[in-house]
Amino acid sequence: MQTVTITSIREEIPGVKTFTIAGEDGAPIPYTAGQFVTFVFNHHDKEERRSFSISTSPVHDESLSFTVKRIDNGAYSRLLTDRAAVGDKLYTSGAAGLFTLPADTSRYRQFLFFAAGIGITPIISLIKTILHTLPQKQVTLIYSNRSKEETVFYEELQRLLQKFPENFKVEFLYSTSFNLSRARLNKALLPVLLREYLVVPNDEVLVYVCGPFAYMRMVIWSLEEAGIPDDQIRKENFNTNDRQVHKVEPPDKGTHVATIKYNGGTYSFPVAYPDTILQAAKKNGLTLPYSCEVGRCGSCAARCTAGQVWLSYNEVLMDTDLKLGSILTCVGHPVNGDVTIEA
Ligand SMILES: Cc1cc2nc3c(=O)[nH]c(=O)nc-3n(C[C@H](O)[C@H](O)[C@H](O)COP(=O)(O)OP(=O)(O)OC[C@H]3O[C@@H](n4cnc5c(N)ncnc54)[C@H](O)[C@@H]3O)c2cc1C
Ligand code: FES
C-alpha cells in the first residue's frame, strides 16, 4: 500500500475528470499500458476498494493518470469528481491488471479496439502505446457514445488520427445519430464494421473490449460468430458489483496448506473451504493485492508454482495464462494437496 498525491485534475466532459497522481516526493508511479489502480477508502467504517483504469501511456513518461465518470449515488466516484482537489492524498495498492499488451506482439498485425463510454480509459492507454512503439501495426478503434459532446478523449483521438493517418482509424458511433445504420453497435452492424476495418486474416488480429456488461457480451458473441478465436479477445469489466454467488463447488473441499511468497516474505497457513486463498490470507494477517473479490478484475492474479488451485470463477485469465500457472487468489481454493503460490 502507498499514499499518493493528486498533482492535477482536468475535466474531460461534464461528469468525467482525469486525475494525475505521484508517489512520495513526486516520484512517478510505475505502470503498464492498460492496467488500473486500486484505491482503498473508508465508507461507513468499512474498508472499500475501487479500481480505475489508467488513461495515460508510459511510453512518453506520462505520469500516471486515471479518468473517473461520476456515478449517481456512487460513493467513491462522486467523492473524486465532486470534492477531490490537487494536493489531496489517496491510498492505493498500485497498478495491476492483465488488460495489457502481450509480451510478444509479432503474431498480430492489427489491434482492434471496441470501447463504449468510459470504457475508453484503458483502451486509449493501449492505443497511444502501440502507435508510438509499434508503428508497423494497424490500430482500429470502434468507439460508442451517446453523442460527440459526451465522447471522452474526442480531441486527443483527433490529434492521434492526424499524427498517424496511415495506421490509425476510428469509427465514432453515436446512439443519438439520425443515421440508424451507424448508431448503436449491434449484432447486425458489427459484421459490417469488421468487413470494413479488419484488414488482416482472423488469426493476425488481437481484439480488446471494454464497456458496459451487455455491450461487451454482444461484442464478444459477435466476434466469436465472425470466427475470431476466443484467445484473441481480451476484455475488461468495470462493473464488478454483481456479487452473485456462483454455486460451483471445488472437487475437493479438504483443508490444505497454502505457502505464499509475497513481498520478499514467505507465509504458510491452512485454507479451509469455503474460504478462498485470499480470505484465508486475510484471516492470517496477510493482505494480498485484491479489488473485486469475484474473479473479474485480475488484481489478485498470482502464480501457483506447486500443487493445484481450483478457481470457482474466472473472467480474466486466458487459457495461456492458466497453462503458465496463473491463478486468482480471490476465487482460488487449493485442491488435492498443499500449494505454493507466488503473489
Ligand atoms: C478493473 C476496473 C477498472 C475500472 N476503471 C474505471 C475507469 O477507468 N473509470 C471509471 O469511471 N470507473 C472505472 N471502474 C469502475 C469503478 O471502479 C467504480 O465501480 C465506479 O466508479 C463506481 O464506484 P462508486 O463507489 O462511485 O459507486 P458504488 O457506490 O460502488 O455504486 C453506486 C451505484 O452505482 C452502480 N454502479 C457501480 N459501478 C458501476 C459502473 N461501473 N457502472 C454503472 N453503475 C455502477 C451500483 O450498482 C450502485 O447502484 C473500473 C472498475 C474496475 C473493476
Ligand atoms: S480481486 Fe478481482 S479477480 Fe480477484
Side-chain angles (χ1 to χ4, degrees), residues 38-294:
T38 300
F39 296 103
V40 183
F41 65 105
N42 243 306
H43 187 50
H44 300 313
D45 287 335
K46 198 172 151 250
E47 185 189 284
E48 297 258 354
R49 289 172 184 234
R50 296 289 185 277
S51 302
F52 295 96
S53 292
I54 298 166
S55 48
T56 40
S57 161
V59 288
H60 290 310
D61 293 333
E62 279 186 301
S63 299
L64 192 161
S65 303
F66 58 95
T67 304
V68 182
K69 178 183 171 182
R70 185 185 193 281
I71 301 271
D72 288 340
N73 303 322
Y76 201 57
S77 63
R78 282 190 307 155
L79 189 84
L80 286 173
T81 53
D82 294 352
R83 305 230 304 266
V86 170
D88 282 359
K89 308 272 183 218
L90 305 174
Y91 198 43
T92 174
S93 54
L98 304 168
F99 195 66
T100 52
L101 294 175
D104 179 7
T105 56
S106 57
R107 186 184 149 191
Y108 306 108
R109 287 199 293 130
Q110 184 172 7
F111 289 85
L112 178 56
F113 295 94
F114 288 87
I118 196 65
I120 189 67
T121 49
I123 283 181
I124 197 154
S125 167
L126 291 166
I127 287 176
K128 285 189 277 192
T129 304
I130 299 169
L131 289 174
H132 286 101
T133 57
L134 300 165
Q136 71 284 20
K137 310 283 183 190
Q138 289 298 317
V139 179
T140 310
L141 168 65
I142 314 291
Y143 185 17
S144 298
N145 284 285
R146 272 179 53 75
S147 64
K148 182 181 154 194
E149 293 66 38
E150 289 159 275
T151 300
V152 178
F153 304 131
Y154 182 83
E155 302 298 338
E156 187 167 6
L157 287 166
Q158 293 297 340
R159 282 196 292 277
L160 290 171
L161 280 167
Q162 276 176 12
K163 194 166 175 191
F164 300 95
E166 298 303 318
N167 52 344
F168 185 41
K169 304 274 179 294
V170 182
E171 174 79 33
F172 291 99
L173 294 173
Y174 302 125
S175 56
T176 51
S177 166
F178 291 117
N179 176 2
L180 292 182
S181 65
R182 292 269 159 141
R184 217 180 160 80
L185 188 61
N186 55 37
K187 285 179 194 163
L189 177 56
L190 201 139
V192 175
L193 295 176
L194 283 184
R195 279 196 290 282
E196 194 172 323
Y197 288 109
L198 186 60
V199 294
V200 300
N202 278 358
D203 60 346
E204 293 181 19
V205 64
L206 188 59
V207 188
Y208 289 79
V209 189
C210 188
F213 182 74
Y215 166 91
M216 297 219 300
R217 194 176 46 189
M218 183 277 298
V219 170
I220 291 163
W221 183 87
S222 304
L223 290 168
E224 286 172 356
E225 276 290 288
I228 312 256
D230 188 44
D231 67 348
Q232 286 167 231
I233 305 171
R234 309 242 161 135
K235 50 186 189 289
E236 186 74 301
N237 184 357
F238 280 6
N239 197 345
T240 52
N241 273 34
D242 165 20
R243 289 181 178 239
Q244 176 193 339
V245 180
H246 301 278
K247 285 196 176 109
V248 276
E249 294 188 346
D252 161 23
K253 292 192 205 159
T255 298
H256 303 292
V257 173
T259 299
I260 312 238
K261 295 180 181 165
Y262 178 58
N263 255 352
T266 302
Y267 312 83
S268 284
F269 48 83
V271 184
Y273 186 81
D275 279 352
T276 62
I277 294 167
L278 179 68
Q279 286 165 337
K282 276 193 207 172
K283 282 185 181 167
N284 284 275
L286 173 63
T287 306
L288 297 170
Y290 72 92
S291 178
C292 74
E293 292 183 274
V294 287

